[in-house]
Amino acid sequence: MKPFHSYQNPSLAVDLVVFGYSQQQLSVLLLNRKEAPFKDRWVLPGAFLQMEERFKDACSRVLKTKLGMDDVYLEQLYSFDEPDRDPRGRAISVAHYALVNPSKVAIAAGSMANDVSWFNINELPALGFDHDSIFQQALQRLRSKITYFPVGFELLDDLFTMPELHELYECILDTTIDRRNFRRKILDSEYIINTGKKREGSQNRHPDLYKFNKKLKKNSFQINV
Amino acid sequence: MKPFHSYQNPSLAVDLVVFGYSQQQLSVLLLNRKEAPFKDRWVLPGAFLQMEERFKDACSRVLKTKLGMDDVYLEQLYSFDEPDRDPRGRAISVAHYALVNPSKVAIAAGSMANDVSWFNINELPALGFDHDSIFQQALQRLRSKITYFPVGFELLDDLFTMPELHELYECILDTTIDRRNFRRKILDSEYIINTGKKREGSQNRHPDLYKFNKKLKKNSFQINV
DNA sequence: TCAAAAGTGTTTGCGATACACCCATGG
DNA sequence: CCATGGGTGTATCGCAAACACTTTTGA
């Protein structure tokens, strides 16, 4: 059999929309390009797919080597194929999005402090390549998914309070949600477990600490916007 | 700049899950392979992506040249990347699904009568490559999408009756739906328009003929299973 | 004891579901 | 005129949304 790679194939890359949540803000991780094309512009992190490498492996490689992140929630988003999306030549991008807890990873003031940065999703600069539209699609997917599937927990600490989860939902969905109805829906889904502990330190009543119920795979809930 | 294709890249293909509906049956179009690997096995139609070609163009090319189909509803599904999914070497498949009206296309008794065939989705043979899982994912997507988005019309004639649309939904979702509630939801969504004409020929009352409201883009409905 | 935030329960209203009758047609 | 399937309307029930009071805490 003639091996495939004797034919010419488009270049194949993964690009990553890395979402992070902290200080009641949803942010995306961007990279400042040091070379043409789009020199000095902000872009999504990404990498070319190596032979024998899975998409998720390539994504993990980027998250690990460029960003120092391990063990991250990853989901394939869409494959982008516009012939002119990369001025260097034909390049397909298989976009993914990732959900990380910024406090668990150490990007902030590392050696790449000027290269990598969190941007609030409402204050994004114009991105290079077609990364604006990749980001938009990722945001849309996240907003859709979080209303019926327990992905929000990936963005929080292992232990979190109900008000924190509630705020996360309001922030991502950019709306207000009745906290009492929200609480009931989430608790009814049984995706979170009250640990019995409480978050100390605040001046007011100490809220209960919950944890994500990892074992549960099939329950459903629906947060309406 | 060094052109991308001087590096080695995985082979890149599109694969198509072509759904058709006729005689109250949901079917998929399969191809009988004439060569190794998977000689004499049934597989999804597909093609390698040519340089400068978009996914949808490659899909259209397959639909046109191999199947004689034009102007078909197409949607990107997912990209499949298991390193061993093709024994000939590393091959990425960007899977799509298509919705066609079999009565509008001419596959049946053409020159490839032995190569191409419709299979009822409940009576599929074991497919070559990883096409079983591609098919399963496509079916799942179709079932999900049809409950909130007007894709069912792609499978019917330009003019169709309410009972026909109702039957289509019951068939695809593999369930029973109260026809009066179904009618109300569909009509409320305003995605279909009563043409005032009636389908003649049956012994019983002649049902109204509807057409799809192509202009409407944003209304929503929800068919629950 | 006060302000601020967290925990909890009840009422209300709309939308989905369940359900039944009349109408048109050809034989 | 009858059997068959198509068109239409209504009552009910459940869930989701709206809403208010009590509890805890540190200052």
Side-chain angles (χ1 to χ4, degrees):
Chain A
M1 285 187 282
K2 191 171 177 184
F4 284 162
H5 41 77
S6 58
Y7 301 93
Q8 225 183 59
N9 287 300
S11 162
L12 196 53
V14 294
D15 282 311
L16 277 161
V17 181
V18 183
F19 288 106
Y21 177 78
S22 68
Q23 266 92 43
Q24 281 115 279
Q25 305 243 322
L26 185 64
S27 303
V28 185
L29 203 59
L30 298 180
L31 223 83
N32 199 287
R33 272 186 74 82
K34 295 290 180 231
E35 332 161 342
F38 299 104
K39 181 162 157 50
D40 298 321
R41 289 276 286 279
W42 294 92
V43 296
L44 300 171
F48 290 106
L49 192 73
Q50 293 174 0
M51 275 290 181
E52 306 302 320
E53 192 180 36
R54 287 187 182 86
F55 297 146
K56 300 233 159 160
D57 296 331
C59 291
S60 298
R61 182 163 55 82
V62 171
L63 288 165
K64 180 67 181 169
T65 61
K66 286 201 196 173
L67 312 171
M69 296 173 178
D70 261 319
D71 214 19
V72 159
Y73 177 89
L74 258 181
E75 186 175 326
Q76 189 188 122
L77 181 64
Y78 199 76
S79 297
F80 291 80
D81 69 338
E82 285 297 315
D84 61 354
R85 56 180 296 283
D86 190 318
R88 291 167 292 181
R90 187 78 206 280
I92 306 294
S93 166
V94 183
H96 291 67
Y97 72 94
L99 304 179
V100 307
N101 182 335
S103 72
K104 287 188 188 168
V105 297
I107 303 287
S111 61
M112 330 177 104
N114 292 323
D115 296 12
V116 181
S117 179
W118 291 104
F119 284 81
N120 182 295
I121 60 156
N122 297 312
E123 297 160 7
L124 287 196
L127 306 183
F129 303 104
D130 56 351
H131 290 187
D132 283 318
S133 69
I134 295 178
F135 164 75
Q136 285 302 333
Q137 203 155 328
L139 180 59
Q140 198 177 322
R141 175 79 69 91
L142 173 62
R143 283 183 168 154
S144 161
K145 185 127 189 171
I146 204 174
T147 60
Y148 65 90
F149 201 79
V151 290
F153 313 101
E154 311 288 343
L155 295 162
L156 297 174
D157 292 338
D158 293 340
L159 297 182
F160 52 89
T161 68
M162 188 63 77
E164 282 164 6
L165 187 61
H166 177 241
E167 231 161 32
L168 171 70
Y169 270 76
E170 289 197 332
C171 174
I172 292 181
L173 296 173
D174 193 25
T175 183
T176 60
I177 305 171
D178 185 280
R179 67 190 179 90
R180 292 154 292 187
N181 295 335
F182 176 80
R183 164 188 289 269
R184 179 166 343 103
K185 284 182 182 181
I186 294 290
L187 287 177
D188 286 353
S189 80
E190 295 178 333
Y191 272 118
I192 68 174
I193 300 169
N194 193 326
T195 62
K197 298 175 202 155
K198 291 182 186 298
R199 160 109 56 223
E200 320 262 324
S202 78
Q203 178 172 345
N204 308 311
R205 179 169 180 169
H206 295 168
D208 295 355
L209 282 168
Y210 293 85
K211 64 177 178 184
F212 178 42
N213 185 354
K214 290 189 172 68
K215 291 167 201 151
L216 194 55
K217 291 293 172 201
K218 50 189 179 301
N219 273 16
S220 75
F221 61 91
Q222 181 61 48
I223 307 293
N224 297 307
V225 292
Chain B
M1 284 186 280
K2 191 171 178 184
F4 284 162
H5 41 77
S6 57
Y7 300 94
Q8 227 183 57
N9 287 300
S11 160
L12 196 52
V14 294
D15 282 311
L16 276 161
V17 181
V18 183
F19 288 107
Y21 178 78
S22 66
Q23 265 92 43
Q24 279 117 276
Q25 305 241 323
L26 185 65
S27 304
V28 185
L29 203 60
L30 298 180
L31 223 84
N32 199 286
R33 273 187 73 83
K34 296 289 179 230
E35 331 159 346
F38 299 104
K39 182 164 156 49
D40 298 322
R41 288 277 286 281
W42 294 93
V43 296
L44 299 172
F48 290 107
L49 192 73
Q50 293 174 358
M51 274 290 182
E52 305 303 317
E53 193 181 34
R54 287 188 181 85
F55 297 146
K56 300 233 157 156
D57 296 331
C59 291
S60 298
R61 182 163 55 82
V62 172
L63 289 165
K64 180 68 181 171
T65 61
K66 285 199 195 171
L67 312 172
M69 296 173 178
D70 262 321
D71 215 20
V72 159
Y73 178 88
L74 258 180
E75 185 174 326
Q76 189 188 121
L77 181 64
Y78 199 77
S79 297
F80 291 80
D81 68 338
E82 285 298 314
D84 60 353
R85 56 179 297 283
D86 190 318
R88 291 168 293 182
R90 188 76 205 282
I92 306 294
S93 167
V94 183
H96 291 66
Y97 72 95
L99 304 179
V100 307
N101 182 337
S103 72
K104 286 189 191 170
V105 297
I107 304 287
S111 61
M112 332 175 102
N114 291 325
D115 296 12
V116 181
S117 180
W118 291 104
F119 284 81
N120 183 297
I121 60 156
N122 297 311
E123 298 159 7
L124 287 197
L127 306 183
F129 302 103
D130 57 351
H131 290 187
D132 283 319
S133 69
I134 295 179
F135 164 75
Q136 286 301 332
Q137 203 154 328
L139 180 59
Q140 199 176 321
R141 175 81 67 93
L142 173 62
R143 282 182 169 155
S144 160
K145 185 125 188 171
I146 204 174
T147 61
Y148 66 88
F149 201 79
V151 289
F153 313 101
E154 311 288 343
L155 294 162
L156 297 174
D157 293 337
D158 294 339
L159 296 183
F160 53 88
T161 68
M162 188 64 77
E164 282 165 5
L165 186 63
H166 177 241
E167 231 161 33
L168 171 70
Y169 270 76
E170 289 198 331
C171 174
I172 292 181
L173 296 173
D174 194 25
T175 184
T176 59
I177 305 171
D178 184 280
R179 66 189 178 93
R180 293 154 291 190
N181 296 333
F182 175 81
R183 163 188 289 269
R184 188 186 9 256
K185 284 182 182 181
I186 294 290
L187 287 178
D188 285 353
S189 80
E190 296 178 331
Y191 272 116
I192 67 173
I193 300 169
N194 193 325
T195 62
K197 298 177 201 154
K198 291 179 186 299
R199 165 142 310 157
E200 321 262 326
S202 79
Q203 179 172 342
N204 309 311
R205 178 168 181 171
H206 295 169
D208 294 355
L209 283 167
Y210 293 86
K211 64 178 178 183
F212 178 42
N213 185 355
K214 290 187 172 70
K215 292 166 201 156
L216 195 56
K217 291 293 172 199
K218 49 189 180 300
N219 273 16
S220 76
F221 61 93
Q222 180 62 49
I223 307 294
N224 298 307
V225 292

